[in-house]
Amino acid sequence: MTPIHPFDEASRLTRREDGTLVGRTSPAYWNFAGPFGGITAAVMLRAVLEDPSRQGTPVAMTINFGGLVAEGEFELVPTLVRGGRTTQHWSVELRQGDRVPTAASFVFARRADTWEHHPTSMPEAPPPDRVEPLDTTKWMAWLSNYQFRFVSGGPVLSRQIHDPLHTQRSVVWLNDRVPRRLDWLSLAALSDAFFPRVLHARGIGAKMGTVTLSTYFHVDEAELAAQGTTPVLGVADGDRFCRNFQDQRIQLWGRDGRLLAVGAQVLWYDS
Amino acid sequence: MTPIHPFDEASRLTRREDGTLVGRTSPAYWNFAGPFGGITAAVMLRAVLEDPSRQGTPVAMTINFGGLVAEGEFELVPTLVRGGRTTQHWSVELRQGDRVPTAASFVFARRADTWEHHPTSMPEAPPPDRVEPLDTTKWMAWLSNYQFRFVSGGPVLSRQIHDPLHTQRSVVWLNDRVPRRLDWLSLAALSDAFFPRVLHARGIGAKMGTVTLSTYFHVDEAELAAQGTTPVLGVADGDRFCRNFQDQRIQLWGRDGRLLAVGAQVLWYDS
């Protein structure tokens, strides 16, 4: 029997007899004071993907992290807000008792072949096997589920603010440490698998966390399948950090220089 | 008596005796088959800004355009999803009868002065009064409320797909045609005042429309006030257009090269 992959274990949903969808936080994907946002995104996406009313594939998701998800069980409540001929809008609430720490919206569509254009190119990077993975064994648990091979802009932790500041832009090969074929869920999780830009720039540890995350999917099932277990090249950058908040934009590049997904988020940071 | 500015007229909300918040679509901000998305974003933001429970200033908004807003009245239903000590998460539904054509989420925060960093620079551009405004008089109504002074990457309409393709990146000075001091509402609207990247690249008219839009605000009240009626420099770019959808990312630059807001969106396009 093949053991279940930690990612599948952590993003598992079960349905109670009363119909409620239930998930459970995973110690393996724990961050500072709650689960890794990417695993929360994945499990919320799963709630829609596995809904019998769902049509098409994911086009966009927005996850609003309103409060900490507490350790233990949670309920997911997916709602089809609007279903057109080709496009569906869904909302998903993650509930713990009467709290809704996380709320998400998803756009799904039956996509057709159309005129295509791919004006942006993947940055130059040495192949992943030529880049040493970051040692994350002493860091938060969730990091050990991935390998981070920084091509440029790796994080350098420091007791004092870097002087001069380091670049806030990172290029990094990303893959599940235990190989797993890329799917919608892991692509959603990878879109949140970047360290805060403010950490890269200044180096000091401080409280920080994502408040809202949007990811836009460019792949179809065939492109996803073609990626297999090959690492994905992630690019992350940020434009402005001020008054407790910073923006971040990302790209996830796949085989043959195809852009699998792009995204943007806002992170809160302390002082 | 000063006449009411068209933008304020179009984003006006009234409260019925039963407490319902009511808005009305404006012919002046009409797009192809519904209102300009930016005016819908503005009126949904107004519903939160004017709510007595609102604290702080806008940090992020996501607007999901699920269906067409029909001409006429609509109701707005703002809900405080989660309120922390410094950060609030709101949702707003735009309802017409039993339809919810548009749903939005907002993050507000009481922002404090923190460590700041502004690593990205405003692109070089001649001053706005040296750039000719685009003649939009024969286009959709909403465009006449703005002046678009393209520094580069202006739209060129064509009967056939451009060969070679034009750039999908635009740099453009933007301002209300009738001067109006920049505020949260007009900044929100401006974040959607870009033409689809796919139109810039290929030039042919086709059905297209935003399905989801996220905008992140970097300004505080003082920076907003300092902008006054000075044009804002908009930058828009896109990475990939395929299977009916394209991404788009934008920056809105203000006086002294400060980044006022950034954003991202997905647009649907036909064939």
Side-chain angles (χ1 to χ4, degrees):
Chain A
M1 186 184 138
T2 316
I4 187 167
H5 191 283
F7 184 87
D8 292 303
E9 176 71 36
S11 62
R12 188 179 356 213
L13 283 175
T14 55
R15 195 173 288 277
R16 287 208 198 106
E17 279 184 20
D18 66 0
T20 315
L21 267 185
V22 180
R24 169 173 275 283
T25 63
S26 159
Y29 282 83
W30 203 249
N31 196 357
F32 282 115
F36 161 49
I39 200 75
T40 303
V43 77
M44 295 178 92
L45 175 56
R46 188 191 282 276
V48 180
L49 270 172
E50 296 184 351
D51 194 288
S53 304
R54 184 265 303 178
Q55 291 180 356
T57 56
V59 171
M61 72 174 191
T62 294
I63 320 274
N64 286 301
F65 299 96
L68 285 173
V69 177
E71 191 177 349
E73 284 196 347
F74 51 82
E75 292 182 14
L76 292 184
V77 184
T79 306
L80 178 58
V81 177
R82 186 151 177 86
R85 265 184 311 137
T86 58
T87 305
Q88 289 185 329
H89 285 254
W90 288 81
S91 74
V92 181
E93 286 192 354
L94 187 155
R95 295 182 187 163
Q96 289 186 310
D98 56 1
R99 293 173 66 243
V100 181
T102 311
S105 58
F106 295 91
V107 180
F108 275 67
R110 296 187 204 255
R111 302 173 74 154
D113 285 335
T114 60
W115 182 80
E116 297 200 8
H117 187 33
H118 199 317
T120 311
S121 300
M122 188 168 94
E124 295 280 334
D129 57 8
R130 299 280 187 83
V131 186
E132 203 59 38
L134 191 70
D135 177 6
T136 56
T137 48
K138 291 179 185 161
W139 298 18
M140 301 87 81
W142 73 269
L143 293 165
S144 296
N145 293 287
Y146 293 100
Q147 284 182 317
F148 301 85
R149 297 169 196 267
F150 278 92
V151 173
S152 64
V156 179
L157 293 187
S158 162
R159 289 182 182 277
Q160 292 191 312
I161 291 179
H162 292 318
D163 182 16
L165 295 172
H166 290 199
T167 180
Q168 79 289 344
R169 181 173 186 270
S170 300
V171 178
V172 55
W173 288 110
L174 298 165
N175 60 274
D176 289 299
R177 192 178 52 78
V178 179
R180 182 178 177 281
R181 298 183 67 80
L182 191 72
D183 62 9
W184 299 108
L185 303 182
S186 56
L187 187 57
L190 281 174
S191 75
D192 195 31
F194 294 89
F195 308 155
R197 298 301 96 199
V198 66
L199 178 68
H200 286 266
R202 66 181 186 177
I204 58 166
K207 286 189 201 166
M208 41 189 86
T210 302
V211 296
T212 182
L213 163 78
S214 289
T215 304
Y216 306 146
F217 300 93
H218 285 305
V219 275
D220 63 3
E221 297 281 2
E223 269 183 297
L224 258 185
Q227 187 64 25
T229 59
T230 309
V232 164
L233 189 70
V235 181
D237 208 341
D239 286 337
R240 188 171 179 189
F241 317 153
C242 67
R243 291 183 286 270
N244 292 123
F245 293 93
Q246 63 141 98
D247 63 79
Q248 176 177 289
R249 54 196 144 84
I250 65 109
Q251 298 168 323
L252 293 169
W253 295 92
R255 289 171 67 119
D256 307 321
R258 280 167 191 256
L259 191 55
L260 306 175
V262 299
Q265 64 170 269
V266 172
L267 289 103
W268 173 88
Y269 67 92
D270 195 12
S271 63
Chain B
M1 186 184 138
T2 316
I4 187 167
H5 191 281
F7 184 87
D8 292 303
E9 176 71 35
S11 62
R12 184 171 11 202
L13 283 175
T14 56
R15 196 174 286 277
R16 286 209 198 106
E17 279 185 20
D18 65 1
T20 315
L21 268 186
V22 180
R24 170 172 273 283
T25 62
S26 159
Y29 282 84
W30 202 250
N31 196 358
F32 281 115
F36 161 48
I39 200 74
T40 303
V43 77
M44 294 180 92
L45 175 57
R46 187 192 282 277
V48 180
L49 270 172
E50 296 184 351
D51 194 288
S53 304
R54 185 264 304 179
Q55 292 181 355
T57 56
V59 172
M61 72 174 192
T62 294
I63 320 274
N64 287 301
F65 299 98
L68 286 173
V69 177
E71 192 177 348
E73 283 198 348
F74 52 82
E75 293 181 14
L76 291 184
V77 184
T79 306
L80 178 58
V81 178
R82 186 151 177 86
R85 265 183 311 137
T86 58
T87 305
Q88 289 185 330
H89 284 255
W90 289 81
S91 74
V92 180
E93 286 191 354
L94 187 154
R95 296 182 187 164
Q96 289 186 312
D98 55 3
R99 292 173 65 243
V100 181
T102 311
S105 59
F106 294 91
V107 180
F108 275 68
R110 295 186 204 257
R111 301 173 74 153
D113 285 335
T114 59
W115 182 80
E116 296 201 8
H117 187 34
H118 199 318
T120 311
S121 300
M122 188 167 95
E124 295 281 334
D129 57 8
R130 299 280 188 82
V131 185
E132 203 59 38
L134 190 70
D135 177 5
T136 56
T137 47
K138 291 179 183 160
W139 297 19
M140 300 88 80
W142 74 269
L143 292 165
S144 295
N145 293 287
Y146 293 100
Q147 284 183 316
F148 300 85
R149 299 169 194 264
F150 279 92
V151 173
S152 63
V156 179
L157 292 187
S158 163
R159 289 182 182 277
Q160 292 191 311
I161 291 178
H162 292 319
D163 182 17
L165 295 172
H166 289 199
T167 180
Q168 79 290 343
R169 181 175 186 270
S170 299
V171 178
V172 55
W173 288 111
L174 299 166
N175 60 274
D176 289 299
R177 190 178 54 78
V178 179
R180 182 178 177 281
R181 299 184 66 81
L182 192 71
D183 62 8
W184 299 109
L185 303 182
S186 56
L187 187 56
L190 281 174
S191 74
D192 195 30
F194 294 88
F195 308 155
R197 298 301 97 199
V198 66
L199 178 68
H200 286 266
R202 67 181 188 178
I204 57 167
K207 286 188 200 165
M208 41 189 86
T210 302
V211 296
T212 182
L213 163 77
S214 288
T215 303
Y216 307 145
F217 300 92
H218 284 304
V219 276
D220 62 4
E221 298 281 3
E223 269 183 298
L224 257 186
Q227 186 65 23
T229 58
T230 309
V232 165
L233 189 70
V235 181
D237 207 341
D239 286 338
R240 189 171 178 187
F241 317 153
C242 68
R243 291 183 285 271
N244 292 124
F245 293 94
Q246 64 141 99
D247 64 79
Q248 176 175 291
R249 55 197 144 82
I250 65 109
Q251 298 169 322
L252 293 169
W253 296 91
R255 289 171 69 118
D256 306 321
R258 282 166 191 257
L259 191 55
L260 306 174
V262 299
Q265 65 170 270
V266 172
L267 290 103
W268 172 87
Y269 66 92
D270 195 12
S271 62

